[in-house]
Structures are given as C-alpha cells and as structure tokens.
C-alpha cells in the first residue's frame, strides 16, 4: 500500500552556528552563537515521535561523516591545516535538512511506475556541496528495492536543492500527481539556488509525466526565502502559500486548476502576513499532513505561534471550514536558528513501507533508543572557537560511529 513516509534528518553531533548560508537570514543572524547539538537532536527526535503518535509513517536519515576529510583532501588540505572558513564548511551538520537531500517522484507520477529519487547537488553553498555523496550512499541502501530508482545528482553548473523546491498536488497520495518544480532566476542581493535547467533535468531523470515549472518571485528570495518551502507547501489537493511566493501566480494557479479542478489554493495575503513575518516565523516551512482520519494538520515551528500576526491568521484559518483542521506547534529552535524549520528537516516519500530498508524506519522504541544514544554521545554545546579543537573532531566521529553501530549501518562508515 502506498503511504507518505517522512524521513527526518537526525541532527548531527557537529551542529553549529558558523553563518555559512548567504541569503538565509537566520543563519546570518545567529552566526557565532553557541549551539547545542544534543538538545537539537533531541528536539528533532521529539518531532518524529509526535508525528508517529499522529499515525504518520516516520523514517530517518543519518548525519554524515564530519569533518569531511575526503573533501578537504580533494582541496589539498586537511582538518588541522584548513583555514577557519574551510574547516567550518567541512564540519557542517547541514545534512540534517533532508528536504534538500533529493527530489522524490512517487510511482503514480512516473512513466515506469517506480518511485524515483534524484539526489540534490546543492552546489551553490560550499558547505552543502559535499553532502551529495553521503546522501547517495544512504538512499541507495534505504531504497534498494526494485520499486525505487535512485539517481546521482545533476552535474554542475546547474544548482539543484531537492524537494525544498518541489511540490506535488494530487487527489490523494496514492493517485497520480502534478509535480511543481519551483526555480529561481534572481534574488536581489542573494543567490537563486535552484536553476531551471536543474529542475528540468530532475523531472526528466525522475520520468515525471506531468510537470510544471514555476519561477519563484525575486522579492521572496530577496526577503530571505532561499528555498520555495519557506513560502509555500502543498499536500494532496491543497496548496498553502504566500501571496508573493511566485513570479507569475495567475498563470501558475490557472495551470493547476486546469489539471486538478479540485485544487484548493490557500493564499496568505501580504496585508495579513508580510513576507518578513512569513520568513521570521517560518509559517510556511510547516509539515502539511493528511491525518489517518482524513483531515489535514499543519505542523508549525513554535516561532509561528509566537508571532502575533501569524498566529491570528492561523486561528482564522482553522475557524473557517477549510481542509486544514489542526495546527500543531513543535519546538525545533536549534535547527530554526540556522534557517531550518519542521519541513526542512524531512524528506517526503510516498511508497510502500514494506519496500524500504527497515534500518531507516522508526517506531517509538527505536526513538527511545536513539534519544538515549544522543544524550550519551552528542556534544552538549559547540562554541565557535571550539571548531578547531581536535578533541571535538574526535567526539563527533565517535558519536556517529555509535549511531551507525546501533542501527547496524556500519557499512556507511
Ligand atoms: O541550506 N542552513 C540551511 C537551511 C536549509 C533549510 N532547508 C529548507 N528550506 N528546505 C541552508 O541554508 C546554515 C548553516 C550555517 O550557517 O552554518 C544552513 O546551511
């Protein structure tokens, strides 16, 4: 049976605030702060637990090997000799944001009926450009069954940031969908990370039958929406987005309505929630999920509840008779401080759970075990000047090894 499973990236032991992401306002604002990797990973695990309790399918992707010595060697250096910037790039825990791991096209949408996953190259940001190998290795294991096809990333120079710039609209998860690939052209002072050539290549690799290519608005990128999932999210027949998310919303909405007449577009007007409020609160970086009893819930970061204008709008939303019946705040503040909300932390895969390698699937008992392991091995905090400490590098490596052996995934060493 086909169902949606959310694969969350477990926040890695090297989680830190190095301010590496130009155009990501939270990352810039918190640069130089002291991070709390243990609390961060526990927050992520509690989000996974809460989703399991809602009756949703839950999976896991693992932190990558950090510092990435292979990458540093390719650059002619190593962790001891690298300058501070390269060292921070090699230590980043950015693989936690699984929405950037790959673009997923479920079987009902594709020509050969397989679920296709194309790993994102993430080449715009140096610290993310070396994630793809670790991601490809994991996806090849997790989705080795013949009902999946895993593709290597699109080559340079076409930047691809994965599912964060991809939305799927359909009658229900198991039915054929329209896949919307959102790309950027210009972003004011900030880079447009998703290139249209990459989006088109991914749609071809994934054998998508019905694809729409839609430009993100320049004003959204310039306001800090470095990925589409900061200003829009879709689930089944619902598109929930900011009024200023897209460059030409009229033609996009018309194309959608033509293909899926029952589409329900919930557009938040700028007069109620400005782009600045949307980006500060991460209202749209929510998980919009279908609950087992049929209604939809919006899983928002607590920051969206703390913003008075956003919270007032959300209360009006649930008071109406729309498809979103429940708002569920979750605390992922450690990730949020680097610009990663609830939606960034997960990769959605509509598939048959029986076809997924069970080592990547979670139940509550496994979450308990992981929480214990994190409490034991993840650093409590990382101050910026600790990044050059060899003891920290060793602790980070040991923590990941403990995780791999607990999950019987030593093959990923
Ligand atoms: O790529 N932050 C990530 C956040 C990714 C959010 N993902 C989605 N929107 N789907 C990024 O900008 C911060 C790293 C640092 O500053 O150390 C960072 O990479």
């Amino acid at each position: 049976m086909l169902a949606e499973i959310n694969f969350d990236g477990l926040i890695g032991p090297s989680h830190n605030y190095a301010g590496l992401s130009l155009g990501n306002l939270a990352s810039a604002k918190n640069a130089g702060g002291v991070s709390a990797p243990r609390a961060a990973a526990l927050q992520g695990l509690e989000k996974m637990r809460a989703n399991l309790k809602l009756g949703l399918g839950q999976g896991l992707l693992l932190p990558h090997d950090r510092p990435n010595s292979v990458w540093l060697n390719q650059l002619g250096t190593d962790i001891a000799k690298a300058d501070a910037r390269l060292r921070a790039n090699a230590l980043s825990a950015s693989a936690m944001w699984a929405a950037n791991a790959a673009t997923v096209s479920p079987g009902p949408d594709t020509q050969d009926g397989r679920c296709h996953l194309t790993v994102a190259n993430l080449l715009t940001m140096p610290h993310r450009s070396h994630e793809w190998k670790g991601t490809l290795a994991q996806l090849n294991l997790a989705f080795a069954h013949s009902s999946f096809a895993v593709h290597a990333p699109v080559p340079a120079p076409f930047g691809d940031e994965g599912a964060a710039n991809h939305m799927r609209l359909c009658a229900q998860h198991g039915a054929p969908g329209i896949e919307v690939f959102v790309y950027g052209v210009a972003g004011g002072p900030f880079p447009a990370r998703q290139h249209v050539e990459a989006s088109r290549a991914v749609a071809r690799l994934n054998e998508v039958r019905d694809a729409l290519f839609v430009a993100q608005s320049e004003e959204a990128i310039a306001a800090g929406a470095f990925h589409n999932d900061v200003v829009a999210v879709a689930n089944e027949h619902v598109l929930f987005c900011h009024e200023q998310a897209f460059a030409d919303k009229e033609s996009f909405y018309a194309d959608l309505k033509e293909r899926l007449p029952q589409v329900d577009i919930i557009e938040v007007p700028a007069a109620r929630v400005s782009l600045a409020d949307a980006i500060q609160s991460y209202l749209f970086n929510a998980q919009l999920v279908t609950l087992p009893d049929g209604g939809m819930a919006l899983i928002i970061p607590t920051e969206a509840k703390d913003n008075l204008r956003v919270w007032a709008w959300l209360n009006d939303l649930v008071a109406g008779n729309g498809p979103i019946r429940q708002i569920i705040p979750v605390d992922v503040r450690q990730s949020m401080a680097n610009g990663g909300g609830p939606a960034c932390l997960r990769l959605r895969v509509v598939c048959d759970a029986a076809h997924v390698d069970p080592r990547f699937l979670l139940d509550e008992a496994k979450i308990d075990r992981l929480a214990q392991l994190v409490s034991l091995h993840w650093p409590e905090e990382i101050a910026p000047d600790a990044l050059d400490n060899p003891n920290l590098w060793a602790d980070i490596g040991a923590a990941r090894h403990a995780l791999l052996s607990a999950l019987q995934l030593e093959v990923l060493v």
Side-chain angles (χ1 to χ4, degrees):
M1 203 201 66
L2 295 184
E4 179 174 276
I5 305 176
N6 285 287
F7 290 83
D8 275 52
L10 178 64
I11 298 173
S14 70
H15 162 63
N16 71 88
Y17 298 126
L20 300 174
S21 258
L22 177 67
N24 172 340
L25 304 186
S27 152
K29 183 173 161 218
N30 294 301
V34 177
S35 68
R38 189 183 302 168
L42 293 174
Q43 286 171 358
L45 284 165
E46 287 318 303
K47 169 169 100 75
M48 300 180 219
R49 187 194 302 281
N51 284 357
L52 267 176
K53 281 193 197 292
L54 289 173
L56 305 172
Q58 187 63 53
L60 180 77
L61 292 172
L62 311 185
H64 295 187
D65 188 18
R66 296 289 177 268
N68 189 341
S69 303
V70 175
W71 183 67
L72 287 172
N73 293 166
Q74 286 171 335
L75 293 165
T77 187
D78 60 35
I79 190 67
K81 292 195 218 95
D83 63 48
R85 188 77 180 171
L86 262 191
R87 185 182 292 134
N89 280 308
L91 275 161
S92 177
S94 54
M96 72 177 81
W97 297 297
N100 304 115
T103 305
V104 183
S105 300
D109 300 358
T110 68
Q111 274 157 26
D112 66 0
R114 290 188 295 170
C115 174
H116 288 253
L117 302 95
T118 295
V119 174
N121 62 28
L122 290 165
L123 57 76
T124 304
M125 295 290 155
H127 67 291
R128 306 215 61 179
S129 67
H130 57 97
E131 276 174 43
W132 69 267
K133 271 194 187 162
T135 301
L136 183 59
Q138 290 191 50
L139 298 191
N140 274 333
L141 280 182
F143 304 110
H145 188 272
S146 59
S147 60
F148 296 101
V150 177
H151 306 283
V154 169
F158 309 118
D160 174 29
E161 304 259 330
N165 293 313
H166 174 257
M167 301 184 288
R168 175 171 188 260
L169 287 127
C170 52
Q172 67 242 328
H173 288 312
I178 299 139
E179 297 201 5
V180 182
F181 292 80
V182 184
Y183 60 89
V185 177
F190 301 138
R193 297 206 215 171
Q194 182 72 38
H195 302 171
V196 66
E197 296 88 346
S199 296
R200 290 192 185 278
V202 172
R204 285 191 294 269
L205 289 165
N206 282 8
E207 300 192 21
V208 176
R209 282 185 301 190
D210 196 358
L212 280 178
F213 299 91
V214 176
Q216 205 183 349
S217 76
E218 178 170 356
E219 57 198 321
I221 301 176
F226 55 94
H227 290 137
N228 173 63
D229 69 1
V230 177
V231 278
V233 59
N235 183 55
E236 296 188 328
H237 68 290
V238 175
L239 170 64
F240 176 55
C241 59
H242 192 270
E243 183 185 1
Q244 291 159 290
F246 307 107
D248 180 1
K249 64 173 186 173
E250 276 81 18
S251 68
F252 171 38
Y253 295 170
D255 283 345
L256 263 187
K257 284 177 189 154
E258 194 189 307
R259 287 168 155 87
L260 189 73
Q262 72 268 42
V263 70
D264 191 344
I265 301 174
I266 305 175
E267 194 190 74
V268 181
R272 291 290 308 273
V273 175
S274 65
L275 267 181
D277 273 338
I279 286 150
Q280 176 277 327
S281 68
Y282 261 38
L283 160 65
F284 297 98
N285 200 259
Q287 287 185 256
L288 183 55
V289 295
T290 306
L291 300 171
D293 68 6
M296 288 192 196
L298 191 68
I299 300 165
I300 56 164
T302 43
E303 285 80 349
K305 190 176 178 193
D306 297 342
N307 180 307
L308 294 180
R309 291 171 295 277
V310 169
W311 189 237
W313 193 88
L314 283 170
N315 280 314
D316 290 351
L317 175 74
V318 283
N321 210 14
I324 302 177
R325 308 303 315 150
Q326 231 182 308
I327 308 288
I328 305 175
V330 289
D331 178 1
V332 286
R333 287 183 191 275
Q334 281 288 318
S335 167
M336 282 285 288
N338 251 338
C344 299
L345 286 164
R346 60 86 176 98
L347 183 69
R348 303 159 97 174
V349 184
V350 170
C351 65
D352 184 338
H355 294 169
V356 178
D357 185 317
R359 290 174 294 183
F360 292 88
L361 293 175
L362 291 178
D363 56 24
E364 281 212 59
K366 202 158 160 184
I367 292 183
D368 288 342
R369 289 204 303 280
L370 290 174
Q372 271 172 17
L373 188 139
V374 161
S375 301
L376 205 61
H377 295 281
W378 262 231
E380 200 166 353
E381 38 175 67
I382 300 184
D385 58 5
L387 291 184
D388 61 6
N389 183 342
N391 293 333
L392 178 71
W393 311 332
D395 289 348
I396 290 167
R400 181 166 176 273
H401 276 99
L403 175 70
L404 295 183
S405 72
L407 294 174
Q408 294 175 324
L409 279 165
E410 292 93 338
V411 60
L412 287 169
V413 160

